[in-house]
Amino acid sequence: MAVALASVSKHFGHGADEVLALNRVTLSIQPGEFVCLVGASGSGKSTLLNLLAGLDRPSEGSLDTGGAHTTLMFQEPALFPWLTAAGNVELPLTLRGMPKAERRREVARLLELVRLTEFGGRHPHELSGGMRQRVALARALAQAAEVLLMDEPFGALDAITRDLLHDELERIWRERGLSVLFVTHNAREAVRLGDRVLVFSSRPGRVAAEFPVDLPRPRRIESPELAVLAARIYDRLRLEADLDG
């Protein structure tokens, strides 16, 4: 098991101001599995990722990543503007204590993996939004993570760039054998990428439904079969919103 949560709850605040963000969440991800999580804003999806990344602790329940290293990738690339693309990718390698010559080889390999070999010397402001996200992905992979946590990483991109990055992410996921938990508001994106799609309830967040994705890969986001399953997921999301209301 790459990730396992059992009855995980998370509270913020105290007394009358207490907010229950997650309510007894139970889920698991197998090694090499790509799982997508969809839900309304404020349903606790990002809170769940923060717990898995070790940035916070659950209030109740148990969480286990089996000793696997996790890394979290956000919607915004959050690159250091004074560093080049190569410098941003090299930083976690430096923090890991990797020798300089080995770092340079690894940076070159990672930039090639995300198809940015010719752009290593560019600073973030010289790159397109899609390129910046690819640098952020290479930086995440530089942390030697086995579990990749992605918090709406393509949400701010245009449709064509997003579609291209879907292809890149799927290729890297296969090549690296990663386990991925991908948060999105977009049901089509979830079906395009995931082996399974989990629907989160409105706050407090819990797994309200699960949809296996049996469509063959590679998938196209505009395909009719994908649209049919995405529509079923949207219907469940609307039901959850009505129940919350």
Side-chain angles (χ1 to χ4, degrees):
M1 201 78 67
V3 171
L5 290 86
S7 298
V8 167
S9 297
K10 180 62 182 178
H11 305 262
F12 293 102
H14 302 281
D17 296 325
E18 184 177 85
V19 173
L20 179 60
L22 298 174
N23 184 27
R24 301 183 62 81
V25 175
T26 296
L27 65 87
S28 61
I29 300 174
Q30 299 296 327
E33 189 178 21
F34 201 126
V35 176
C36 290
L37 181 62
V38 297
S41 296
S43 61
K45 303 184 302 299
S46 296
T47 298
L48 177 63
L49 293 187
N50 288 337
L51 295 179
L52 288 169
L55 301 178
D56 205 347
R57 293 183 178 182
S59 303
E60 291 101 27
S62 64
L63 182 158
D64 184 19
T65 59
H69 182 61
T70 63
T71 190
L72 179 55
M73 184 176 169
F74 301 97
Q75 180 172 343
E76 294 299 325
L79 302 176
F80 292 109
W82 58 88
L83 294 177
T84 63
N88 272 280
V89 176
E90 186 176 6
L91 182 59
L93 302 175
T94 303
L95 295 175
R96 286 169 52 195
M98 185 178 288
K100 185 174 182 179
E102 188 178 349
R103 288 201 312 265
R104 296 298 167 84
R105 289 193 295 271
E106 182 66 3
V107 168
R109 188 185 70 80
L110 288 167
L111 288 175
E112 182 180 10
L113 186 67
V114 297
R115 305 184 192 273
L116 286 176
T117 296
E118 299 177 3
F119 297 90
R122 303 281 184 90
H123 286 81
H125 73 274
E126 299 175 293
L127 301 173
S128 68
M131 288 178 174
R132 288 194 292 270
Q133 280 298 69
R134 281 193 267 168
V135 174
L137 178 57
R139 183 179 60 185
L141 296 173
Q143 298 176 47
E146 299 148 289
V147 179
L148 184 57
L149 310 169
M150 310 188 78
D151 195 355
E152 300 186 61
F154 308 143
L157 302 176
D158 64 87
I160 293 175
T161 302
R162 188 165 59 245
D163 194 45
L164 291 172
L165 286 179
H166 289 162
D167 291 340
E168 292 299 312
L169 175 59
E170 187 173 32
R171 176 180 60 84
I172 291 167
W173 162 65
R174 286 182 176 279
E175 290 179 4
R176 296 288 293 261
L178 298 168
S179 305
V180 179
L181 181 58
F182 187 103
V183 164
T184 178
H185 283 99
N186 189 319
R188 281 191 179 230
E189 181 174 57
V191 176
R192 162 69 182 84
L193 291 170
D195 295 318
R196 289 185 289 140
V197 178
L198 306 179
V199 175
F200 240 36
S201 66
S202 296
R203 184 179 294 166
R206 59 178 176 77
V207 178
E210 177 178 323
F211 294 83
V213 184
D214 297 324
L215 303 175
R217 298 179 186 269
R219 303 167 189 155
R220 297 266 54 93
I221 205 162
E222 68 277 5
S223 77
E225 296 83 5
L226 187 150
V228 168
L229 181 53
R232 289 177 55 207
I233 293 170
Y234 275 125
D235 286 343
R236 185 54 194 256
L237 285 168
R238 283 195 291 270
L239 175 62
E240 289 302 318
D242 289 342
L243 290 172
D244 182 58

